[in-house]
Amino acid sequence: MSSRQKLETLFEPNNKPYALEGVKVVEISYTNFAAQIAAAILCELGADVIKIEPLGGDPSRYVTPYGVLIDEKVGIPYFIENRCKNIVEIDFNNEKEKILDYVKQSDIIIDGYKPGELDHLGVGYRQIQNINPDIIYVAVSPFGSFGELAEKYSNIPYSDLTAQAYNGYPTLIGNPYLQGEKYQYPLRAGIWVATILAGVQAAISALVALYWREISGEGQFIDVAVNEVLSAVHLVPYIVGFFFEKHREKYGLLDYIIYPFGYYKTADGYVSIATPTDADFRALLKILGLWKIEPDWRFAIDRISDDVERIKELDEKLRQAISKYSTRKLLEKVNRYIQLYRKIPILKLIERHAGAPVVVELYMLNRVLEERHWYIRKSLQVVEISGRKIVIPASPFKLSATRTK
């Protein structure tokens, strides 16, 4: 058995315990997918999660692409994020005691309702803390539970679209090659980026609080603002706007810190190319037969600029050169170059002539679904639902001493 195969056996479920075995979580989210993702992560790590829904069920059950429902009951996103939870329906107006019975025995509460709404119903943090002082209460909402905007926009429904909009995120995405006002409209990210990030932050916060409770014996209130989480990952765009007192240009597939750092069309597909160092960039020029332009773009400062027009000059040259190769030929050419210089140790010491550009094939989604690697790792799994086999993303956690659901 190879060392790689031995390593693979470490992650087989067998009879290993769950990392969060015995941890009890109550999720009351109501259409808030960020809260659902947070609870799903805890569930995957072994926590017992009870998802409390109002009579008739959570409306998020029916949010689904092309109107496809599983067993004519729930949509695909709902199924994926709630597949290991216990779902119960309770009349919030007349059966408050049932909810309190669940939370009395719980370690973590995930609240995805509008700030103060569960408190108004008598099952919020104030009431729960009185009956369960060690509780870890995680509230997930657009602007959080306090602050001017939290109050001003408390009645605006949560959505990933609004989270992106309030952060200016869509204004950063665009194609610098398309000139004119009609091409400058904002574009949203292709995934629910704010929702996912907020769900991950909520789960991490809950685990940190759980650890702190083990040390101190104290529970606590955790306030996650979906819009705040997205603003935190902007980082440089905010600094650019503040320091230079102007909006960051639309760079699209260009990048204003590293160049090249984007996607390029080959003769038969696409590749992703990054050159983190000057040596990597110079190596790419040699591979593409563009060494004659090296003096003009020698250093990072030559390729990093707020002058989009200047970067586009270089971008055009690279795109023309790359388009002449098939994806396979280009990857082979890059690999040959890297292997050659690895065999000549002295060249590694000469920065102008060494380097290893990062060039990989850009996969279409159907190629991703065909990739055996993800099935071996059980990141993608085939399940049979309603007599039909479908591929679903599974838990990304790979832990040798504990298993996941």
Side-chain angles (χ1 to χ4, degrees):
M1 182 182 291
S2 69
S3 59
R4 195 168 289 178
Q5 288 172 321
K6 288 179 182 177
L7 189 61
E8 185 180 330
T9 61
L10 288 177
F11 300 99
E12 291 297 325
N14 300 324
N15 294 316
K16 295 184 295 187
Y18 293 113
L20 297 182
E21 198 154 335
V23 174
K24 296 184 183 300
V25 179
V26 170
E27 173 202 329
I28 313 175
S29 57
Y30 197 74
T31 74
N32 188 328
F33 271 106
Q36 290 185 34
I37 288 171
I41 291 172
L42 300 177
C43 192
E44 288 171 3
L45 292 172
D48 295 322
V49 178
I50 294 174
K51 177 174 167 57
I52 297 177
E53 300 184 357
L55 295 181
D58 189 329
S60 66
R61 292 182 180 188
Y62 309 106
V63 177
T64 189
Y66 305 108
V68 175
L69 297 178
I70 296 171
D71 291 333
E72 299 183 359
K73 293 179 181 177
V74 298
I76 295 172
Y78 181 94
F79 173 81
I80 291 173
E81 301 305 340
N82 297 285
R83 62 185 181 274
C84 64
K85 303 173 186 175
N86 297 310
I87 314 293
V88 297
E89 293 185 19
I90 294 177
D91 183 343
F92 279 47
N93 293 318
N94 301 310
E95 298 179 310
K96 183 177 71 174
E97 291 304 319
K98 282 188 178 181
I99 298 175
L100 294 177
D101 285 341
Y102 281 115
V103 302
K104 282 177 188 175
Q105 308 166 47
S106 299
D107 300 289
I108 300 169
I109 306 295
I110 307 288
D111 171 7
Y113 273 63
K114 296 175 185 176
E117 191 167 357
L118 291 185
D119 183 85
H120 178 72
L121 292 171
V123 290
Y125 180 63
R126 284 190 309 144
Q127 297 90 351
I128 293 172
Q129 190 186 34
N130 287 332
I131 62 174
N132 188 352
D134 299 334
I135 197 69
I136 295 166
Y137 192 101
V138 185
V140 183
S141 61
F143 286 99
S145 301
F146 64 92
E148 293 180 0
L149 296 181
E151 185 175 343
K152 183 176 180 180
Y153 296 124
S154 62
N155 288 318
I156 292 181
Y158 151 82
S159 80
D160 197 83
L161 188 66
T162 54
Q164 292 188 39
Y166 281 124
N167 278 278
Y169 194 78
T171 65
L172 300 176
I173 306 171
N175 189 339
Y177 283 92
L178 298 176
Q179 299 299 322
E181 187 176 342
K182 70 175 183 177
Y183 295 116
Q184 297 306 308
Y185 47 78
L187 300 174
R188 67 177 177 82
I191 61 171
W192 286 8
V193 61
T195 299
I196 296 166
L197 287 172
V200 171
Q201 180 184 325
I204 292 174
S205 299
L207 293 174
V208 169
L210 198 62
Y211 176 72
W212 173 249
R213 194 178 71 178
E214 287 295 309
I215 297 173
S216 67
E218 297 176 343
Q220 59 184 299
F221 182 93
I222 297 168
D223 194 29
V224 176
V226 180
N227 299 358
E228 183 177 65
V229 176
L230 190 55
S231 70
V233 300
H234 277 352
L235 300 178
V236 175
Y238 282 161
I239 297 169
V240 168
F242 178 80
F243 189 78
F244 295 100
E245 298 182 350
K246 66 178 183 178
H247 191 277
R248 198 204 81 175
E249 297 272 3
K250 291 181 185 293
Y251 276 70
L253 295 179
L254 306 177
D255 192 271
Y256 61 106
I257 295 179
I258 297 176
Y259 186 85
F261 190 79
Y263 306 122
Y264 293 82
K265 181 139 186 21
T266 61
D268 60 354
Y270 292 88
V271 291
S272 170
I273 298 180
T275 57
T277 69
D278 289 340
D280 298 331
F281 176 73
R282 290 169 183 147
L284 180 66
L285 293 184
K286 294 178 81 70
I287 290 167
L288 296 176
L290 293 175
W291 186 252
K292 65 181 180 181
I293 71 170
E294 190 265 355
D296 295 329
W297 308 97
R298 180 171 298 170
F299 302 110
I301 195 65
D302 298 320
R303 305 187 303 276
I304 300 172
S305 170
D306 61 356
D307 184 351
V308 179
E309 294 305 314
R310 174 167 165 74
I311 296 296
K312 281 161 63 175
E313 281 182 43
L314 176 58
D315 192 58
E316 288 285 6
K317 289 182 172 65
L318 291 183
R319 290 187 184 281
Q320 288 175 17
I322 292 165
S323 68
K324 296 175 183 177
Y325 296 94
S326 70
T327 299
R328 184 173 64 83
K329 287 291 185 185
L330 180 61
L331 293 176
E332 287 176 353
K333 195 172 175 66
V334 171
N335 189 57
R336 277 199 305 271
Y337 178 91
I338 294 172
Q339 295 303 321
L340 171 65
Y341 280 89
R342 281 177 178 166
K343 293 177 182 177
I344 310 175
I346 189 62
L347 291 180
K348 294 180 181 179
L349 304 176
I350 307 174
E351 199 257 356
R352 270 178 66 80
H353 295 283
V358 181
V359 184
V360 301
E361 182 179 358
L362 189 156
Y363 281 11
M364 298 294 114
L365 281 177
N366 61 337
R367 175 72 180 275
V368 176
L369 295 175
E370 294 166 356
E371 180 58 70
R372 284 187 65 246
H373 179 76
W374 305 122
Y375 296 96
I376 292 171
R377 292 179 57 83
K378 296 182 173 59
S379 299
L380 294 178
Q381 293 185 8
V382 179
V383 299
E384 187 169 320
I385 301 173
S386 304
R388 182 179 177 184
K389 290 184 178 180
I390 64 170
V391 177
I392 63 170
S395 174
F397 299 105
K398 303 293 181 287
L399 305 159
S400 66
T402 56
R403 57 179 171 145
T404 57
K405 293 182 183 178

